[in-house]
Amino acid sequence: GSFTSFFKGEMIISVVTKHNRYLVAGCPFLVLVSPAEVYMPACELSVEGSEERVTAGHDCSFRIEAKDLYGNFHHSGGAEFTVRMSRLRTPKEDAKPLEKWRVKL
């Protein structure tokens, strides 16, 4: 037999005979379900703190919540994100390349 779980965590599997009379030998057993691969459209980004303003030269913290297709959170080993920062408008005389960082989960 087989099963599909869409939720991560510890699952207890029980198999019983017809009419739920007898538990099959070896049951129940525990299965640890890990999250599926990171699904970018389900991930969420939030800016730390109450304002989305920072002072030049000071840190701006943000949080990426990586999730799989089913909404399960990834806490490590899930994906690599590229974070880019650019100006909304760049004057011609002050054109500079984008700042770019890699964040690995």
Side-chain angles (χ1 to χ4, degrees), residues 24-40:
V24 173
C27 290
F29 63 93
L30 184 70
V31 175
L32 179 60
V33 180
S34 299
E37 66 184 51
V38 172
Y39 180 64
M40 294 300 179

Side-chain angles (χ1 to χ4, degrees), residues 11-98:
M11 305 294 170
I12 297 173
I13 308 298
S14 298
V15 180
V16 294
T17 59
K18 190 174 182 179
H19 306 297
N20 293 326
R21 291 187 181 180
Y22 303 101
L23 205 61
V24 173
C27 290
F29 63 93
L30 184 70
V31 175
L32 179 60
V33 180
S34 299
E37 66 184 51
V38 172
Y39 180 64
M40 294 300 179
C43 298
E44 297 178 10
L45 174 73
S46 59
V47 176
E48 301 279 324
S50 59
E51 295 185 27
E52 295 180 2
R53 292 176 163 243
V54 296
T55 302
H58 291 81
D59 290 342
C60 173
S61 298
F62 59 90
R63 169 185 228 135
I64 299 172
E65 292 185 340
K67 298 179 185 179
D68 68 8
L69 177 64
Y70 311 106
N72 296 308
F73 288 97
H74 269 270
H75 297 289
S76 64
E80 185 173 301
F81 296 86
T82 299
V83 180
R84 293 186 177 116
M85 184 174 73
S86 62
R87 291 191 173 112
L88 186 58
R89 293 184 188 174
T90 305
K92 289 181 184 179
E93 64 274 5
D94 197 19
K96 292 182 181 177
L98 298 174

